[in-house]
Amino acid sequence: MIVVLASRFDASAARLAERWRSHGARLLTPEGLSVRGWCHESGAVDRSTAVLDGEVVPLRSIDGVLTRLSGVSEDELPHIVPGERAYVSSEMTSFLVAWLSSLEGRVLNRPTPACLCGPNWGMEQWAHEATRVGFPIRPVRRLARAFGQAQTDVGRGQAEPAQADLRHVTLVGRRLFGRSIDETTERRVLRLSQATNVELLTMTLVREGGSTVFVGASPWVDVDRPEVADAILERWEVER
Amino acid sequence: MIVLWGLTGDGPFDAVLAALARRGAQVALIEQRRVLDTEVELLVEPALHAAVSMSGECIELDEARAVYWRTHDLRRLPAVIAAGPESGAIEAASLVEEALVAWMELTPARVVNRASNMASNGSKPYQMEILRAHGFSVPRTLVTTDPDAARRFWTDCGAVVYKSVSGVRSVVARLGGPHLDRLDQVSWCPTQFQQYVPGRDHRVHVVGDDVFACEVVSEADDYRYASMRGDPPTLRACKLPADIAERCFTLARALSLPLAGIDLRRAPDGRWFCFEVNPSPGFTYYEAHTGHPIGDAIAGHLMGG
């Protein structure tokens, strides 16, 4: 059984669950945690159960979880009285951190305590990590102004590259999709994935001065692309 | 230069500030009360550069050798409240804090503690697995939306407490008869139940290489709130068995927390249970009762000791 954990507003996730229906895929949104039957017992995974599409299932029957949710926001909880939403969203997020972590290698991306779908990094940290694996980067500048002056400005401190020059590369496990890249860049992409423990990654690159320069990265991938969706499924099949 | 970010008037923050002053350290203070006058600039090119300015007063963060931070909920700051909820002050203040937190993740300076390393405390059942992996006994814990499972767990364990799953501070309370009628409400939200472990509470503070242990004598289920019920706990310095002290030190090191407040309980059968690691402990409460120089140890750590 495959679980797609996503926002109730995530139409791509709903389409993906439908596409994977023959593989037993179930869509789980935060509302699905307000259902009788969830049991998570520390150190006793064999006794733990989930509730998917109204059915109580043992944890061992779950082959893979695709997480497309960084945390549970109050918007996800229309069924909870407004005064309790902040508390419930916090409790559900914390529960999901523990639950997803207990599934270990079956979850893409693996959660961190700060984010359900991988590291909770801004542009600066991705740029910093990219540098460590050998990528040249475009500088990242963040300016958080005093109240009343203006909004925060996260940018590059230099002219943005034209959209047409950007190359978006999607990583699933060790497979790459998107515009073709040279061998050196491919090696760097894989090293970045390994160093950050992130298996699903969309990376934005640009050719500048004869080099492929790192522009940005995100643990979100476009699951509406059939080849990406298929590769995610295959990643779990390899694990099995 | 050592950067301190927080609220003057907060006990632990003041204690570190005073200890640094006694040691003659050069301190740059980012007063959280002034968050609405604060501007942060952060640049990764790939070298890291950062600066903070508050009403024209500038702090070059590149010169920071260490950072201690202990901020409070910005929505409760007087300036933010005065600006009003629709003013955009909360959003502006959040962006300033996010920029400082981002800088602390990247700076090579000693940081007490990095936000990413503190995050495990945000999910108690997640952290529980880490405690177990480090050799501590941990209480049986069930997080559930199933009232029947909660009842069975209660019957199996004999006595059970309930507490929040997240880092939201909650009073730990023993499940009793009056709760039976409300147990059906757990179906709205995963709720954490934990086997009640009798025994003597201990708070252990790890600061760099130092371990300070405090024994807490109290009959309350949650001694932090016992004073409010007219039964204040007795706190005294104590010595931990060497293997338990070493385990605390190793745990803090593994979590990359140079400062940690570890909650232990010694059960009547001699087992040491670990409940939680607090990455931003209010250590002055314990310091006042035990005389442990925790603030000074933090200052020493920040200065490279």
Side-chain angles (χ1 to χ4, degrees), chain A residues 33-43 47 79-80 87-88 90-92 94-95 97-98 101 113-114 124-125 127-128 131 137-147 149 151-152, chain B residues 36-46 87-89 92 95-96 99 105-106 119-120 122-123 125-126 129 132 140-145 147 149 164-166 168 184 187-190:
Chain A
L33 295 178
S34 291
V35 175
R36 193 180 275 241
W38 285 89
C39 283
H40 174 78
E41 192 166 343
S42 296
R47 286 201 291 271
H79 60 293
I80 301 291
Y87 177 75
V88 172
S90 172
E91 292 289 284
M92 284 184 173
S94 300
F95 167 70
V97 167
S101 299
E124 302 91 354
Q125 188 140 6
H128 177 76
T131 300
I137 63 162
R138 288 179 71 86
V140 180
R141 177 175 178 261
R142 179 196 292 242
L143 179 60
R145 295 182 200 276
F147 174 56
Q149 293 194 5
Q151 286 299 306
T152 284
Chain B
L36 297 186
D37 302 321
T38 304
E39 183 168 294
V40 181
E41 183 171 14
L42 183 58
L43 183 63
V44 178
E45 55 172 6
S87 64
L95 294 170
V96 165
E105 289 296 311
L106 299 177
S120 74
S123 172
Y126 170 82
E129 293 308 316
R132 187 201 308 277
R140 277 186 67 189
T141 300
L142 173 72
V143 186
T144 188
T145 60
S164 63
V165 183
S166 66
V168 173
D184 280 351
S187 61
W188 290 101
C189 178

Side-chain angles (χ1 to χ4, degrees), chain B residues 139-210:
Chain B
R140 277 186 67 189
T141 300
L142 173 72
V143 186
T144 188
T145 60
D146 186 340
D148 295 331
R151 285 188 193 94
R152 280 196 303 274
F153 186 73
W154 189 3
T155 306
D156 285 355
C157 294
V160 164
V161 296
Y162 62 94
K163 53 166 81 167
S164 63
V165 183
S166 66
V168 173
R169 201 170 192 200
S170 63
V171 182
V172 179
R174 200 100 59 108
L175 204 61
H179 298 110
L180 271 176
D181 295 341
R182 286 164 45 205
L183 219 46
D184 280 351
Q185 291 182 22
V186 303
S187 61
W188 290 101
C189 178
T191 303
Q192 180 170 242
F193 299 93
Q194 204 163 71
Q195 168 198 14
Y196 172 73
V197 177
R200 176 66 50 85
D201 282 311
H202 291 70
R203 163 55 76 94
V204 180
H205 289 98
V206 178
V207 185
D209 295 336
D210 297 325

Side-chain angles (χ1 to χ4, degrees), chain A residues 56-69:
Chain A
V56 177
V57 299
L59 218 58
R60 63 177 176 277
S61 67
I62 296 175
D63 299 308
V65 180
L66 174 69
T67 308
R68 287 177 57 82
L69 201 61

